[in-house]
Amino acid sequence: DFIRSLLAFVVVLGVLVAVHEYGHYIVARWCRVTIDAFSIGFGPAFAKRTDRRGTEWRLSAIPLGGYVKMRGFSEFGSTAEAETAPDGEGEAPPDDDPGSFRNKPLAARAAVVGAGPAANLILAFVLFVLIYAAAGVAVVEPVVSKVVPHTPAAAAGLAAGDRITAIDGKKINTFVDIERLVAPHPGKTFHVTYQGPGGATHKMTITAGTRTAHGRKLGELGIIGSDAVYRRLPLPQAISAGAEETWNTTAATFDGLWRLVSHGKGVKNLGGPVRIAALSGKAASLGIADFLNFIALLSINLCLINLVPIPILDGGHLLFYAVEAVARRPLPLSAQLVGYQIGAALLASLIIFVTWNDLHHLGVAHWIVHLFG
């Protein structure tokens, strides 16, 4: 389990980082920015080659990230390295290199920075489409798995194993079809056609019961369906379903981040590399479809987290560019330095916190506390 989790984590992180950095790379190439190096991992490179454009491609020893080294770009945004400005004050002196990142128009620089998160969002969409087209989408069959006692279905004699084929003459293909027909009509009498476990066809009438959800009265029969199968979708439908899933997951993730920031909800559930590694192993053990789905979910998370306007993240760069667009000049280097120091401190604190959360979740933190009294 440990080896599987470790290998799965390396694959997940490698894919996410490679796609994210390639997003920066490809848009930087389109904007004619000179790329000095593209690295997967940090530290010394154990494999590297230089292409005809002069970019050195590296596989480095520490597989916990990656980077694209662009000419004229540093962690200090649209100016230059700190040492180019005396005492960290003022603006960096201009250069005449046409391939320098800092010589590009503001829109080009923003596009290069925003391309990383965008690439992660595109990756999630492509993976969802691939899952729906190749493995299929989970569909709950219109088969009764359980009848809730003291409900209309129980009174009518429906039993586990019965397959509902039609309601009021309308064909039923999935369990969702049953809910869609019954829920809007509490108290209505339905004509139900179903097949028993032996295949014989039967008909009955059931008057729907009533339940209240979010202040609305809804109809219900009192049956539960859990017999799920996977059905492959034609490519056009897979593309549509992939786009919808990407949108819904992005909205739900954004909502979770907003609740976390505004109300502190979900703080105890924050996970870091340790928990991601454990979940990677579990996802890999469930099969390729679940593993790809896990990568897609993480890719959306990585996209949104990188867009948080904290200096040192892509969102921080975009925030500085927005200020530059309004002020019509870059922020002073001293202000950028302070911003990046604050951003680095926040990021380091977050990493420590989520790592402690991971250790607590695994019981290691409890053991450490008792060890040291």
Coordinates of all heavy atoms in Angstrom, one line a residue, residues 12-23 38-41 63-67 120 302:
V12 N 0.6 11.5 -10.0 CA -0.4 12.5 -9.9 C 0.3 13.9 -9.9 O -0.1 14.8 -10.7 CB -1.3 12.4 -8.6 CG1 -2.1 13.6 -8.4 CG2 -2.2 11.2 -8.7
L13 N 1.3 14.0 -9.0 CA 1.9 15.3 -8.9 C 2.7 15.7 -10.2 O 2.7 16.8 -10.7 CB 2.9 15.3 -7.8 CG 3.5 16.7 -7.3 CD1 2.3 17.5 -6.8 CD2 4.5 16.5 -6.2
G14 N 3.3 14.6 -10.8 CA 4.0 14.8 -12.1 C 3.1 15.3 -13.2 O 3.4 16.3 -13.9
V15 N 1.9 14.7 -13.3 CA 1.0 15.1 -14.4 C 0.5 16.5 -14.1 O 0.4 17.4 -15.1 CB -0.2 14.1 -14.4 CG1 -1.3 14.6 -15.3 CG2 0.2 12.7 -14.9
L16 N 0.1 16.8 -12.9 CA -0.5 18.1 -12.6 C 0.5 19.2 -12.8 O 0.2 20.3 -13.4 CB -1.0 18.2 -11.2 CG -2.2 17.3 -10.8 CD1 -2.5 17.4 -9.4 CD2 -3.4 17.6 -11.7
V17 N 1.8 19.0 -12.3 CA 2.8 20.0 -12.5 C 3.2 20.2 -14.0 O 3.4 21.3 -14.4 CB 4.0 19.6 -11.6 CG1 5.2 20.5 -12.0 CG2 3.7 19.8 -10.2
A18 N 3.4 19.0 -14.7 CA 3.8 19.1 -16.1 C 2.8 19.9 -16.9 O 3.1 20.8 -17.7 CB 4.0 17.7 -16.6
V19 N 1.5 19.6 -16.7 CA 0.4 20.3 -17.4 C 0.4 21.8 -17.1 O 0.3 22.7 -17.9 CB -0.9 19.7 -17.2 CG1 -2.1 20.5 -17.8 CG2 -1.0 18.3 -17.8
H20 N 0.5 22.1 -15.8 CA 0.5 23.5 -15.3 C 1.6 24.3 -15.9 O 1.4 25.4 -16.5 CB 0.5 23.5 -13.8 CG 0.5 24.9 -13.2 ND1 -0.7 25.5 -12.8 CD2 1.5 25.8 -13.0 CE1 -0.4 26.7 -12.3 NE2 0.9 26.9 -12.4
E21 N 2.8 23.7 -15.8 CA 4.0 24.5 -16.3 C 4.0 24.5 -17.8 O 4.5 25.5 -18.4 CB 5.3 23.8 -15.8 CG 5.4 23.8 -14.3 CD 5.4 25.2 -13.7 OE1 5.8 26.2 -14.4 OE2 5.0 25.4 -12.6
Y22 N 3.5 23.5 -18.5 CA 3.4 23.5 -19.9 C 2.4 24.6 -20.4 O 2.6 25.2 -21.5 CB 3.0 22.2 -20.5 CG 3.2 22.1 -22.0 CD1 4.4 21.9 -22.6 CD2 2.1 22.2 -22.9 CE1 4.6 21.9 -23.9 CE2 2.3 22.1 -24.3 CZ 3.5 22.0 -24.8 OH 3.7 21.9 -26.1
G23 N 1.4 24.9 -19.6 CA 0.5 26.0 -19.9 C 1.3 27.3 -20.0 O 1.1 28.1 -20.9
F38 N 12.9 24.2 -18.7 CA 11.6 23.6 -18.3 C 12.0 22.4 -17.5 O 12.6 21.4 -17.9 CB 10.8 23.2 -19.5 CG 9.4 22.7 -19.2 CD1 8.3 23.5 -19.5 CD2 9.2 21.5 -18.6 CE1 7.0 23.0 -19.3 CE2 7.9 21.1 -18.3 CZ 6.8 21.8 -18.6
S39 N 11.6 22.4 -16.2 CA 12.0 21.3 -15.3 C 10.8 20.7 -14.6 O 9.9 21.4 -14.1 CB 12.9 21.9 -14.2 OG 13.3 20.9 -13.3
I40 N 10.7 19.4 -14.6 CA 9.8 18.7 -13.7 C 10.6 18.2 -12.5 O 11.5 17.4 -12.6 CB 9.2 17.4 -14.4 CG1 8.5 17.9 -15.7 CG2 8.3 16.7 -13.5 CD1 7.3 18.8 -15.4
G41 N 10.3 18.8 -11.3 CA 11.0 18.5 -10.1 C 12.0 19.6 -9.8 O 12.2 20.5 -10.7
P63 N 10.8 15.2 -6.9 CA 9.5 15.3 -7.7 C 8.4 16.0 -7.0 O 7.3 15.4 -6.9 CB 9.2 13.8 -8.0 CG 9.7 13.1 -6.8 CD 11.0 13.9 -6.3
L64 N 8.6 17.1 -6.5 CA 7.6 17.8 -5.7 C 7.2 19.2 -6.3 O 6.9 20.1 -5.6 CB 8.1 18.0 -4.2 CG 8.3 16.7 -3.4 CD1 8.8 17.1 -2.0 CD2 7.0 15.9 -3.3
G65 N 7.3 19.3 -7.6 CA 6.9 20.5 -8.3 C 7.6 20.6 -9.6 O 8.0 19.6 -10.2
G66 N 7.8 21.8 -10.0 CA 8.5 22.1 -11.3 C 8.5 23.6 -11.6 O 7.9 24.4 -10.9
Y67 N 9.1 23.9 -12.7 CA 9.1 25.4 -13.0 C 9.5 25.5 -14.5 O 10.0 24.7 -15.2 CB 10.1 26.1 -12.2 CG 11.6 25.6 -12.3 CD1 12.4 26.1 -13.2 CD2 12.0 24.6 -11.4 CE1 13.7 25.6 -13.4 CE2 13.3 24.1 -11.5 CZ 14.2 24.6 -12.5 OH 15.4 24.1 -12.6
N120 N -4.6 23.6 -16.2 CA -5.2 22.6 -15.2 C -6.7 22.4 -15.4 O -7.2 21.3 -15.3 CB -4.9 23.0 -13.8 CG -3.4 22.8 -13.4 OD1 -2.7 23.7 -13.0 ND2 -3.0 21.5 -13.5
L302 N -6.0 22.7 -8.0 CA -4.8 23.4 -8.2 C -5.0 24.7 -9.0 O -4.4 25.7 -8.7 CB -3.8 22.5 -9.0 CG -2.4 23.0 -9.3 CD1 -1.7 23.4 -8.0 CD2 -1.6 22.0 -10.1

